Amino acid sequence: MADLPRAVRQAMPLAREVAVEVAKQYGVCIRPIALKRLDTHTGRWEVVDVPCGATLDAKCSSCAKRNRQLRKAQCREGWHLDHEPASTPDQANDDQRWLVEFRADLQARRDEVAALGEDTADWDAAIEGVDAEINEAGMRGSVLGRTVPKRTRSTRRRQDAANLPKRRMTPTTLGRTFQASDGKVYRPSLFVTLTLPSYGKVHDGVPLDPDTYDYARAARDALHFSKLVDRFVQNLRRVAGYDVQYFATVEPQKRFAPHLHMAIRGTLPRAEVKQIAAATYHQVWWPQVDEVRFADDHLPVWQDEAGYLDPATGEVLPTWDQALDQLDADEEARPLHVIRFGDQVDVKGVLAGTPDADQCIRYLSKYLTKSLGDTLDTDNPAQHEHAARMVEALRYEPCSPACPNWLRYGVQPKGAKPGMAPGRCRSKAHKPDHLGYAGRRVLVSRKWSNKTLAEHRQDRRTWVLEALGQRDETPDSHRYLWKPVPAGDANVAPLAMRLLRSVAERQRWRAHMDQLQAQADGQESEATGRAA
Ligand SMILES: [Zn+2]
Ligand SMILES: [Zn+2]
């Protein structure tokens, strides 16, 4: 290539760009992750491409699309179930095992990098993504088993919603059915949309008066939104009197506030759902943050074994646990924040198999590929300004017990370690892409369809393999050993080549599928011919 005249070189389409376009057309992952795989049966190492969607949180457009299709299938499968899903705990399947092994490898790499004193941000992000994926794959808790015993709260801080009706619990996940006069049985379900309150008047997603818009509240509400959703589900179950199952997605509104769409199996009176939403709240029992104790160049200093100290007095700052103990002991203490839904609650009855139900499912998966910040209209300066103010409001807001921002208010973050500084939290919650909500976008209850996303993925794989006349043997989980491939490894082909290889494979499959379909059609018409 280097020998070609410059003008000729410039006229050639960029191979990589072309390959990416082609890969997109075929639904092939455009950001594959190269991994080394040791086949312990043969003793051979090879470099294998894994779709980015299989591991990391950030998915390429192809993987995001595929993921959305799987989510639709999952949503459809559970919504109007007419039989109880089996309640045996899921066996850790191959996907999960693979992820756990991959997680262990990432951790090892991260620790190596950390030992060299280099930046671990990329590795941390990767690990976070894999953790999310492992949870998704149906395992409860994180791999490290960080199950800290729950703090016991005094009863006055119980968060029951008092004035709600309570029905006796029946051990079912199915909703009621109704029989029409013609004997037909209906199994109605619900589609509910929940929204956060107003923080000030908005027009087209932009505050009319940014100076009075309550950014602080908007930021806190976004940070704690998922807890509020948990409370809503708890209350819903209590009132409904059965083990209500749901498939929900968290989506950005134009004003950047998260809101929730929820497909619920079974039905309740509309007024009751609205009553539950109105009565649901969540209190955040964290230390107060009104007083800025350390800022600018007056910051707590780290001392090994002691933790963070006041730079002037040398006094050790309270640890996270100590701060919570103080809070518990203080009769006068108030929660840092109380979050509730807004008045806009939309409840819709939906019947199985109707176009209405299909539309709701499309609606539920519509924004799945976007993060909250993605609703940003890049040509709209007022929206930019709005997003910037939101990011500013989140800058020093503690996003979690481990957030370095606690140092600003004189508390050591949970798991404090050297190098922390307020305003320098790496959590996604503070980033313009997420604007406070860094939680999961899809929330599926355990007994929804009795299948995890990984199992749905496995279903499709099995289907394709069966269609290809191949047996889907459950592979020996200990057969392979995985290792990350260092950047610039000579064994990894250029991206364009890897993408085109995947496309070729996809083409082969498609051709084979078409052939099978044609054979099936042929047999069918033969059969019809005979019958006629
Ligand atoms: Zn991908
Ligand atoms: Zn943070």
Side-chain angles (χ1 to χ4, degrees), residues 29-31 51-53 59-60 63:
C29 176
I30 54 172
R31 286 210 307 261
C52 72
K59 295 176 180 75
C60 75
C63 290

Side-chain angles (χ1 to χ4, degrees), residues 198-335:
S198 167
Y199 309 114
K201 279 207 170 112
V202 288
H203 176 69
D204 214 15
V206 174
L208 291 180
D209 181 6
D211 291 332
T212 59
Y213 191 82
D214 196 344
Y215 281 101
R217 186 175 183 88
R220 280 183 194 169
D221 278 3
L223 285 171
H224 301 288
F225 185 67
S226 51
K227 284 287 181 347
L228 185 65
V229 174
D230 287 348
R231 298 265 177 226
F232 176 74
V233 172
Q234 281 170 15
N235 289 333
L236 186 71
R237 285 184 174 149
R238 253 177 233 151
V239 173
Y242 70 99
D243 191 7
V244 179
Q245 302 297 306
Y246 59 90
F247 178 104
T249 59
V250 177
E251 282 168 12
Q253 285 182 300
K254 242 185 171 174
R255 58 175 181 151
F256 300 133
H259 75 158
L260 185 85
H261 295 302
M262 189 178 240
I264 294 172
R265 184 150 83 225
T267 192
L268 271 83
R270 226 173 280 207
E272 231 164 57
V273 178
K274 292 193 175 188
Q275 201 188 341
I276 297 166
T280 297
Y281 63 97
H282 171 67
Q283 297 176 337
V284 182
W285 285 99
W286 283 356
Q288 294 295 324
V289 297
D290 334 294
E291 192 200 339
V292 176
R293 287 195 50 201
F294 303 102
D296 307 317
D297 49 9
H298 178 67
L299 292 177
V301 289
W302 173 263
Q303 195 180 79
D304 285 340
E305 266 131 70
Y308 279 97
L309 319 176
D310 184 317
T313 66
E315 175 205 357
V316 182
L317 301 182
T319 63
W320 178 253
D321 279 333
Q322 287 166 345
L324 285 197
D325 287 344
Q326 277 172 23
L327 198 63
D328 278 349
D330 180 1
E331 290 290 318
E332 307 291 305
R334 306 193 54 77

Side-chain angles (χ1 to χ4, degrees), residues 438-452:
R440 288 162 61 180
R441 301 291 305 282
V442 182
L443 313 163
V444 190
S445 61
R446 278 190 60 76
K447 297 174 197 158
W448 175 252
S449 67
N450 212 19
K451 270 185 196 162
T452 63

Side-chain angles (χ1 to χ4, degrees), residues 220 223 289 292 294-296 299 390-399 403-409 421-425 430:
R220 280 183 194 169
L223 285 171
V289 297
V292 176
F294 303 102
D296 307 317
L299 292 177
M390 190 72 184
V391 171
E392 196 50 43
L394 286 159
R395 182 177 312 273
Y396 293 114
E397 192 64 43
C399 68
C403 186
N405 284 348
W406 285 114
L407 291 174
R408 183 173 170 88
Y409 311 104
R424 302 234 317 260
C425 178
H430 302 279

